[in-house]
């Protein structure tokens, strides 16, 4: 009882450290979502095709892959804190450079630099927090990182909404404003201690580790934690290598980690965040209303991430995953139904909304026609326009003709985001920070993070093409099927880690 009360007495210090480190999550979320407001501006300025647009949005993932691969081993060698400081510097450079870019290639390079920061932040921040947090608080504290990610997303949507009508090239302001929180993060990181587990395992600096652990939870907690770390070290004969993660004794761990990393991205979450205004415009909304609806998406994400933080150490990791993926599947099926029932109407009112007079004139003979599917619509329109006009129609004019239950689309997207926010969003990173043994943690989280980023890039690269060529109905149906597969995976493979020390989790999984 004494130990528990001491941990509670020092909770504020641990929370403060976690909040500072989790600012990396804020930058990650902001960087991920801010591009959604810049899509139209950068498309026009850099004269992008659909694939160029998909690459410009998704290219950060290439940087994230590099950050994923480097972050684990580099943080093992030089420490979690130093890597996070470098990450903050990269976010600052990327924000300023992408805002000032004058060429497509230059813009891509600046985005990729930010991606390296994302790759480092998304892996090392939760690992650092997991290593300094007492077991009873670990799930909630690690989830601070996900909370800050969604706060970053929400702030980005607000920022885009207020900057969208800025005189001149508003997309530059949208991207450049990120430099402010990035610089704050850089300076704040100098105030946090080094990871006590890293100090013991890599430097054998027990006195400094004891000092940090004592401040976190008192002398008894420090003694117990140091004993657990040293007991875990006694079982390790050598430094972890890439080949180690292929050993059969780690099979269960790698199946869980790679499976959760796959389903977190393949179910479409980043496509929703990157292209939220585009989706709502596809559902017939104006530019201003689509940006406002994107704000609602961000706030929903924020509220339900707070719910997840409240529940993750009470209800557990696996129940949250099962509940969340079930409702994600339902939400994606709702979106599929809404777009499947949509029609495209050509009448005097809809034709008058066409901004390009040449396109409007070419389509005037379709007056009085209604199409029940996007494929049928495109077949009729393509024969009347040249290739550039048809591309402009798909990007800018199609929303003038759609007749859809926009409320159902909004409800479906909000339910999807809420469900993700209580499950795959925070729980994946909590599990990843918990399940890997110290021997392979650095290399393993890099491999899993790289894989997660690769899947993310695939989704964001293909999504604009899917919307234009497969149509939103089939696009959302594909994500619904994948989300259902996630339910089956969680039920079959994921284990519960709630309330266990990192060493206990290691023993459980390797024994299994």
């Amino acid at each position: 009882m004494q130990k528990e009360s001491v941990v509670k007495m020092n909770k504020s210090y641990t929370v403060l450290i976690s909040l500072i480190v989790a600012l990396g999550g804020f930058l990650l979320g902001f960087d991920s979502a801010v591009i959604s407001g810049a899509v139209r501006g950068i498309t026009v300025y850099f004269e992008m095709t659909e694939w160029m647009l998909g690459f410009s949005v998704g290219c950060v993932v290439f940087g994230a892959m590099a950050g994923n691969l480097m972050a684990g081993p580099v943080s093992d060698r030089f420490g979690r804190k130093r890597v996070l400081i470098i990450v903050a510097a990269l976010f600052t450079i990327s924000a300023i450079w992408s805002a000032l870019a004058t060429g497509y290639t230059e813009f891509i390079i600046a985005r990729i630099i930010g991606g390296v920061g994302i790759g480092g932040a998304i892996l090392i921040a939760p690992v650092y927090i997991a290593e300094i947090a007492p077991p009873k608080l670990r799930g909630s504290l690690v989830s601070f990182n996900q909370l800050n990610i969604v706060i970053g997303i929400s702030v980005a949507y607000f920022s885009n909404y207020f900057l969208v009508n800025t005189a001149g090239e508003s997309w530059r302001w949208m991207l450049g404003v990120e430099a402010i929180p990035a610089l704050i993060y850089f300076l704040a990181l100098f105030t946090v201690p080094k990871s006590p587990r890293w100090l013991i395992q890599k430097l054998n600096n027990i006195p400094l580790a004891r000092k940090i652990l004592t401040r976190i939870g008192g002398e008894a907690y420090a003694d117990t934690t140091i004993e657990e770390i040293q007991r875990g070290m006694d079982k390790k004969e050598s430094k972890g290598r890439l080949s180690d993660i292929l050993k059969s004794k780690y099979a269960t761990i790698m199946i869980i980690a790679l499976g959760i990393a796959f389903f977190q991205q393949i179910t479409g979450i980043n496509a929703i965040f990157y292209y939220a205004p585009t989706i709502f415009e596809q559902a017939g909304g104006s530019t201003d209303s689509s940006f406002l609806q994107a704000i609602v998406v961000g706030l929903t994400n924020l509220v339900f991430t707070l719910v997840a933080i409240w529940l993750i150490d009470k209800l557990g990791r696996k129940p949250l995953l099962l509940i969340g993926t079930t409702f994600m599947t339902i939400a994606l099926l709702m979106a599929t139904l809404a777009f499947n029932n949509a029609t495209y109407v050509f009448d005097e009112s809809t034709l008058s909304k066409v901004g390009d007079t040449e396109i409007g004139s070419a389509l005037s003979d379709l007056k009085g026609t209604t199409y029940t599917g996007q494929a049928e619509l495109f077949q009729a329109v393509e024969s009347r326009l040249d290739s550039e006009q048809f591309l402009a129609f798909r990007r800018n004019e199609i929303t003038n003709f759609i007749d859809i239950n926009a409320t159902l689309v909004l409800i479906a997207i909000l339910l999807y985001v809420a469900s993700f926010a209580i499950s795959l969003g925070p729980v994946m990173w909590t599990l990843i920070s918990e399940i890997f043994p110290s021997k392979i943690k650095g290399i393993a989280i890099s491999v899993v993070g790289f894989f997660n980023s690769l899947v993310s890039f695939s989704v964001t690269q293909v999504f604009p093409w899917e919307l234009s060529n497969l149509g939103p109905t089939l696009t959302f149906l594909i994500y619904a099927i994948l989300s259902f597969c996630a339910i089956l995976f969680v039920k079959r493979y994921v284990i519960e880690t709630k309330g266990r020390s990192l060493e206990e989790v290691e023993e459980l999984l390797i024994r299994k």
Side-chain angles (χ1 to χ4, degrees):
M1 294 299 292
Q2 184 182 2
K3 186 171 114 176
E4 288 187 13
S5 65
V6 172
V7 171
K8 288 181 180 178
M9 279 171 46
N10 290 274
K11 181 178 176 180
S12 59
Y13 176 65
T14 313
V15 169
L16 178 62
I17 296 171
S18 301
L19 285 173
I20 291 174
V21 171
L23 283 174
F26 175 89
L27 292 170
L28 190 162
F30 191 97
D31 194 90
S32 297
V34 74
I35 191 67
S36 67
V39 163
R40 187 181 292 274
I42 62 174
T43 301
V44 174
Y45 183 85
F46 296 114
E47 299 179 346
M48 297 181 188
T49 64
E50 285 165 357
W51 281 101
M52 288 173 70
L53 173 61
F55 186 75
S56 69
V57 173
C59 70
V60 292
V61 180
F62 281 124
M65 291 177 190
N68 293 154
L69 289 176
M70 293 186 294
V74 172
S75 72
D76 277 350
R77 181 171 181 180
F78 298 105
R80 321 308 192 201
K81 178 178 175 177
R82 288 180 182 175
V83 169
L84 291 172
I85 289 172
I86 293 170
V87 160
L90 293 175
F91 276 124
T92 307
I93 294 168
S94 174
I96 295 172
W97 195 0
S98 60
L100 299 177
T102 56
Y104 179 74
T105 302
E106 182 184 358
F107 181 75
I108 294 298
I109 293 171
R111 293 272 295 154
I112 290 175
I113 289 173
V116 177
I118 287 176
I122 204 166
L123 294 184
I124 304 306
V127 167
Y128 174 95
I129 296 170
E131 290 182 345
I132 61 102
K136 289 190 175 182
L137 300 176
R138 191 175 61 241
S140 299
L141 293 181
V142 171
S143 294
F144 279 175
N145 195 58
Q146 182 66 22
L147 173 62
N148 268 2
I149 290 174
V150 302
I151 291 174
I153 291 170
S154 299
V155 171
Y157 286 146
F158 272 107
S159 176
N160 287 346
Y161 178 72
F162 288 112
L163 292 174
V164 66
N165 294 318
T166 303
E169 295 165 339
S170 61
W171 64 269
R172 295 189 184 277
W173 290 100
M174 292 178 182
L175 299 178
V177 74
E178 183 184 348
I180 297 171
L183 185 59
I184 293 172
Y185 184 47
F186 178 81
L187 296 174
L189 282 170
F190 287 95
T191 67
V192 304
K194 294 179 179 178
S195 163
R197 274 186 168 78
W198 180 81
L199 286 169
I200 295 172
Q201 292 166 349
K202 301 300 177 182
L203 302 183
N204 197 31
N205 191 340
I206 295 176
L208 181 55
R210 183 184 299 278
K211 181 179 178 182
I212 296 167
L213 289 167
T214 300
R215 189 170 181 188
I216 290 171
E219 292 184 7
Y221 170 76
D223 290 340
T224 302
T225 304
I226 291 171
E227 286 175 12
E228 287 182 347
I229 295 170
Q230 290 177 325
R231 190 164 60 246
M233 289 174 63
D234 291 340
K235 300 175 184 176
K236 302 170 181 51
E237 296 115 8
S238 60
K239 181 182 178 182
R241 296 174 297 179
L242 182 60
S243 59
D244 287 337
I245 67 175
L246 302 177
K247 291 181 178 179
S248 59
K249 68 177 181 177
Y250 298 130
T252 301
I253 297 174
M254 294 307 299
I255 288 171
I256 294 171
L258 291 173
I260 291 295
F262 175 76
F263 284 113
Q264 190 202 49
Q265 293 299 330
I266 203 66
T267 47
I269 188 62
N270 276 341
I272 301 297
F273 287 143
Y274 289 169
Y275 298 104
T278 304
I279 294 168
F280 291 126
E281 284 185 30
Q282 285 263 355
S286 67
T287 299
D288 282 348
S289 68
S290 65
F291 272 81
L292 193 57
Q293 287 170 331
I295 289 177
V296 178
V297 169
L299 290 176
T300 300
N301 195 15
L302 172 58
V303 169
F304 281 89
T305 298
L306 289 170
V307 172
I309 291 174
W310 176 57
L311 290 176
I312 195 167
D313 283 321
K314 293 181 174 67
L315 195 59
R317 285 59 159 159
K318 187 168 183 175
L320 283 180
L321 285 172
L322 288 172
I323 293 168
T325 51
T326 298
F327 281 97
M328 283 171 61
T329 305
I330 293 170
L332 289 165
L333 288 173
M334 287 169 60
T336 301
L337 179 65
F339 279 106
N340 185 60
N341 291 337
T343 56
Y344 300 87
V345 180
F346 286 77
D347 57 26
E348 188 172 341
S349 173
T350 56
L351 285 166
S352 67
K353 296 177 184 177
V354 177
D356 188 310
T357 54
E358 291 184 5
I359 293 177
S361 176
L363 299 179
S364 60
D365 65 319
L366 294 177
K367 184 178 178 180
T369 308
T370 298
Y371 297 96
T372 57
Q374 200 173 84
E376 182 187 8
L377 168 72
F378 284 166
Q379 186 177 3
V381 171
E382 188 173 15
S383 63
R384 291 168 169 78
L385 304 175
D386 61 36
S387 58
E388 287 188 9
Q389 289 176 326
F390 183 56
L391 178 61
F393 174 83
R394 289 192 299 176
R395 283 182 178 171
N396 305 319
E397 307 294 354
I398 187 173
T399 58
N400 296 320
F401 301 97
I402 193 168
D403 182 14
I404 190 174
N405 187 340
T407 302
L408 182 59
V409 175
L410 179 60
I411 292 171
I413 296 299
L414 294 181
L415 177 60
Y416 170 82
V417 169
S419 303
F420 179 88
I422 65 165
S423 58
L424 285 172
V427 176
M428 176 203 154
W429 296 113
T430 300
L431 279 175
I432 295 303
S433 68
E434 291 176 328
I435 64 175
F436 288 118
S438 297
K439 177 180 179 180
I440 64 166
K441 180 173 284 188
I443 189 67
I445 63 168
S446 288
V447 169
V448 173
F450 176 88
F451 178 66
N452 181 261
S453 296
L454 181 62
V455 178
S456 174
F457 173 75
S458 301
V459 171
T460 54
Q461 174 68 43
V462 173
F463 190 73
W465 180 89
E466 285 180 308
L467 281 181
S468 291
N469 294 275
L470 300 181
T473 301
L474 187 53
T475 299
F476 281 104
L477 178 61
I478 290 169
Y479 289 141
I481 293 170
L482 291 166
S483 185
F484 179 73
C485 292
I487 300 172
L488 302 179
F489 175 84
V490 171
K491 189 172 180 61
R492 170 67 179 83
Y493 291 104
V494 174
I495 60 109
E496 186 56 67
T497 60
K498 180 185 72 171
R500 294 186 170 106
S501 71
L502 297 181
E503 288 71 26
E504 287 172 337
V505 172
E506 176 181 339
E507 291 176 4
L508 174 68
L509 286 170
I510 292 180
R511 186 169 63 246
K512 285 172 68 73

